[in-house]
Amino acid sequence: MRKGKGAKERKTPLNSETRRAITKYLEQRTHDNSALFLSNRNKRISPRTVQHIFQKYRVNVHALRHTFITRLVRNGEDISIIQALSGHSSADMVLRYSAPTDEDKMAAVNNLWIK
């Protein structure tokens, strides 16, 4: 459970591969701390530590979120499910992610001549 924008609580399901990796990680740990990820001082990592990790690997959280939602839209998932996963209060906000890119438009035009 995580509090998102507007202090809304959100539960995000994890895919089976992620759940498997976490289970394996927990089985190999040698401590019973309730925190999933610990610092080198054996304390729960802080939000700032997570920010540092993202910066280190040049991961932009907003771009990651945008990619997550866009891929759900393009995979044809139900708008209400996407809305729930993204935490948007309006389905109209989700539909913004379905706007075609220039590459999408070019691919559509090219497909006219391929078939």
Side-chain angles (χ1 to χ4, degrees):
M1 192 80 71
R2 174 81 178 119
K3 287 197 180 195
K5 190 173 181 179
K8 294 184 216 169
E9 277 197 4
R10 218 169 270 141
K11 204 185 242 189
T12 303
L14 302 173
N15 67 24
S16 58
E17 180 61 23
T18 303
R19 291 191 312 269
R20 185 202 62 73
I22 290 172
T23 299
K24 185 176 177 181
Y25 166 72
L26 292 173
E27 288 170 352
Q28 294 175 352
R29 288 197 328 183
T30 57
H31 56 78
D32 59 356
N33 193 307
S34 64
L36 183 58
F37 299 111
L38 300 176
S39 71
N40 54 0
R41 295 184 187 111
N42 286 328
K43 298 200 186 266
R44 181 183 304 268
I45 61 173
S46 69
R48 187 69 188 129
T49 300
V50 175
Q51 289 173 341
H52 281 297
I53 292 168
F54 274 64
Q55 287 173 348
K56 177 180 177 181
Y57 292 101
R58 296 185 176 147
V59 175
N60 179 301
V61 293
H62 298 291
L64 183 63
R65 173 183 163 76
H66 180 83
T67 301
F68 172 69
I69 297 168
T70 299
R71 289 187 68 183
L72 288 170
V73 168
R74 293 188 179 193
N75 283 342
E77 296 300 332
D78 184 271
I79 293 296
S80 62
I81 292 172
I82 299 169
Q83 182 181 347
L85 287 169
S86 66
H88 285 120
S89 55
S90 163
D92 291 337
M93 291 299 295
V94 174
L95 293 176
R96 290 183 182 189
Y97 291 91
S98 64
T101 65
D102 289 341
E103 291 82 14
D104 294 332
K105 294 173 194 174
M106 183 60 76
V109 171
N110 285 338
N111 284 338
L112 289 173
W113 313 118
I114 293 174
K115 293 179 180 177

